[in-house]
Amino acid sequence: MKRLLPIILIIAMAIGLVSCSLEDVGGFMGFMSKNVYGIKANMQDVKDATKKINDAVEEDEDGNIIIDLDKAAKVIDNIGDISASPQKKEEFQKQLAEPVAEGKGAEVQAALQDSIDVVKGTLPDPDDIEDQKAKDVVKSISDILDKAKESISDNPTKGDLATVAVINDMANLANEIAADPEMVNDPDKAVKVADRGLSALNTLKVVSEVAGVNLLEGIDVSAMMSDLGKSRDGEDDELQKYFAMASKNVAKLVRLITKDGKLDANKYNWVLSQARAVMASYELMAKPYISKDKLDIKNLDTIFEDAKIKRNLTPDDLILYFECVMMTTSQEVEGWDAQLKKFVDDNYEALMDLGNKSKDIDFDKYSDLTDLADKAMKVVTDKDESWNKLGTVAVLIAKANWDKFLLDVAGVTKFSELVEKMR
């Protein structure tokens, strides 16, 4: 994989999960994306959701902005109906793109940061929690709050506020888990945690920009895997047509992290905060089904046999989670940020039109970036560093009803053997 375009690395890593053909992925893409009758949707749900976000922002008598994240988090209740209608979703996302308070960006930024401090102050110290699963949840959410606070823009949108509100809701759940660890240990109580995680995820898929970028959309993954095999023998030109297919969504991702044709640190960090929030929602959903015994990767094999896991997701969820994992883990590898910035700044125009301009990029100049990504991949597949992420991958495979399929096509019989294929 060293000779692939670095910006397509996430695709390569997602595909590397199985190292062979992933048939029928396309069947899951955009299944509910069309209103076949052309009937205009009733926008009352959108109005109600937008009002909940607006009502969460107030000014005191001195003109100070005050934000109630619990109020804003009530938008979660409207997401099901909004998500079911492309028209409603599009309209709501237009509302979310507006600033929280016109002309008061700095004040809103400070108020959001203060609100995050308040939320974090409610969480117990992870070191004071005896149960390992509960400790992991609290530590994860605490870290996400820190990162979110650091990356709030100087003119937050309603979508930014909604994203922080969802993180706040996950923090509330983390507090409940800390007080009652059986919520992630007792199978009879696990449903509540899994459902709350799913609600957070579904909301983030609407309010978070990064959750809307699917780098595999529209790609025949089965055919790509055949050509990827050829590329390992040196025929990288076979992959150019797939770069073209990914061009639109690559451009979308690049726009999220750039300003005036250059990688913008603030925008990049906010995208990473969104990715961490999406990742956390999946991990909360999966937590009750992951063994707390981290001594042997084989302890995750029983996940595929757990009849209590609802088969209620699609392969898209597995791919989205893995994309977020690779984005955030790569960023934590020393040297990644500088190399990514160099790559994006040097090749912005080509990245915005990858289908026509991919050959303008001198791939050999950026081998350091893929080397660093290889290091990130090793972290992800190391049980001591990424136990919960590996467990979440296993749960998402099961929830997508892909366990037997992936084991068969990878030529293995257990999840632990599949992890070896990822290395």
Side-chain angles (χ1 to χ4, degrees):
M1 295 185 186
K2 300 232 181 227
R3 300 174 62 192
L4 298 181
L5 266 173
I7 201 64
I8 308 299
L9 176 69
I10 297 170
I11 295 179
M13 291 303 176
I15 293 170
L17 181 64
V18 294
S19 300
C20 53
S21 173
L22 305 182
E23 297 175 356
D24 298 327
V25 170
F28 292 98
M29 305 294 186
F31 176 67
M32 295 297 291
S33 64
K34 296 182 177 64
N35 179 346
V36 295
Y37 300 106
I39 300 172
K40 187 173 181 179
N42 185 322
M43 294 296 169
Q44 188 59 48
D45 294 318
V46 173
K47 293 177 182 177
D48 291 344
T50 304
K51 185 175 186 302
K52 288 175 181 178
I53 294 174
N54 292 339
D55 288 350
V57 183
E58 297 180 351
E59 288 189 33
D60 64 16
E61 56 187 16
D62 296 320
N64 299 313
I65 299 289
I66 301 171
I67 295 176
D68 187 330
L69 292 178
D70 286 330
K71 279 187 178 180
K74 291 180 180 178
V75 71
I76 292 172
D77 299 335
N78 299 93
I79 288 300
D81 290 329
I82 291 174
S83 297
S85 165
Q87 291 182 37
K88 291 182 182 180
K89 183 176 178 180
E90 181 180 1
E91 178 60 30
F92 187 44
Q93 288 176 332
K94 287 181 182 178
Q95 302 289 329
L96 293 173
E98 297 175 354
V100 172
E102 196 70 53
K104 294 193 174 184
E107 291 93 330
V108 174
Q109 179 190 45
L112 265 177
Q113 291 171 333
D114 289 345
S115 298
I116 289 173
D117 281 336
V118 171
V119 175
K120 185 169 181 184
T122 68
L123 291 172
D125 187 331
D127 291 336
D128 294 336
I129 302 174
E130 292 184 6
D131 184 84
Q132 186 60 52
K133 283 191 177 184
K135 181 195 294 282
D136 289 344
V137 169
V138 171
K139 186 178 186 311
S140 172
I141 298 299
S142 180
D143 290 345
I144 289 168
L145 288 166
D146 285 338
K147 296 291 187 182
K149 179 183 175 182
E150 294 170 4
S151 57
I152 296 292
S153 78
D154 57 5
N155 189 27
T157 65
K158 293 176 183 179
D160 297 338
L161 169 54
T163 299
V164 175
V166 175
I167 299 173
N168 168 72
D169 192 67
M170 289 191 286
N172 291 338
L173 178 57
N175 265 320
E176 294 175 38
I177 292 170
D180 181 14
E182 287 305 297
M183 291 177 66
V184 287
N185 291 296
D186 183 346
D188 292 331
K189 295 185 177 183
V191 174
K192 179 178 180 180
V193 176
D195 286 349
R196 289 273 293 277
L198 182 60
S199 295
L201 170 66
N202 289 337
T203 305
L204 289 168
K205 284 182 177 180
V206 175
V207 305
S208 161
E209 294 171 303
V210 73
V213 179
N214 185 337
L215 292 179
L216 287 177
E217 186 174 7
I219 292 178
D220 182 343
V221 183
S222 177
M224 185 177 180
M225 281 312 306
S226 175
D227 287 342
L228 182 60
K230 295 177 184 177
S231 78
R232 289 167 179 163
D233 295 326
E235 300 176 22
D236 283 352
D237 285 347
E238 292 292 328
L239 293 178
Q240 295 303 318
K241 58 187 174 184
Y242 298 108
F243 296 161
M245 292 178 190
S247 179
K248 181 179 178 181
N249 279 320
V250 170
K252 186 186 297 185
L253 178 60
V254 172
R255 278 193 292 270
L256 291 181
I257 63 175
T258 56
K259 182 177 181 180
D260 299 327
K262 303 291 183 182
L263 190 142
D264 182 86
N266 291 329
K267 294 183 72 174
Y268 174 53
N269 288 330
W270 180 238
V271 163
L272 290 172
S273 288
Q274 293 180 50
R276 290 186 185 97
V278 171
M279 202 165 59
S281 66
Y282 280 117
E283 291 172 2
L284 277 172
M285 195 188 315
K287 180 65 68 176
Y289 310 108
I290 301 173
S291 169
K292 64 173 66 178
D293 183 354
K294 303 179 180 182
L295 293 178
D296 192 335
I297 189 68
K298 292 179 181 178
N299 291 330
L300 297 176
D301 288 341
T302 57
I303 288 174
F304 286 178
E305 303 165 6
D306 193 335
K308 293 184 179 295
I309 295 179
K310 293 181 180 179
R311 308 282 172 139
N312 58 352
L313 296 179
T314 75
D316 279 1
D317 290 288
L318 171 62
I319 291 166
L320 174 59
Y321 175 73
F322 208 73
E323 287 174 359
C324 290
V325 167
M326 288 308 303
M327 288 172 65
T328 55
T329 305
S330 296
Q331 191 265 339
E332 293 169 3
V333 176
E334 185 177 358
W336 173 267
D337 284 359
Q339 290 296 323
L340 180 65
K341 178 171 176 55
K342 177 176 173 55
F343 177 76
V344 172
D345 291 357
D346 288 352
N347 301 289
Y348 176 79
E349 293 299 330
L351 291 170
M352 295 304 292
D353 188 13
L354 199 60
N356 295 312
K357 298 182 178 180
S358 62
K359 291 187 177 181
D360 293 348
I361 302 174
D362 182 357
F363 304 156
D364 292 337
K365 286 176 59 178
Y366 307 101
S367 59
D368 287 348
L369 192 63
T370 48
D371 288 342
L372 292 170
D374 284 343
K375 291 181 180 179
M377 188 62 176
K378 289 177 182 177
V379 171
V380 170
T381 54
D382 185 298
K383 71 174 180 61
D384 293 327
E385 297 191 61
S386 297
W387 179 263
N388 292 317
K389 289 179 173 53
L390 290 172
T392 301
V393 167
V395 172
L396 293 180
I397 291 172
K399 290 178 81 65
N401 207 25
W402 248 19
D403 40 353
K404 185 179 185 304
F405 172 70
L406 290 186
L407 292 178
D408 286 348
V409 295
V412 297
T413 60
K414 299 179 182 299
F415 177 72
S416 55
E417 296 170 355
L418 186 59
V419 172
E420 290 300 317
K421 290 273 187 177
M422 297 166 61
R423 294 185 187 277

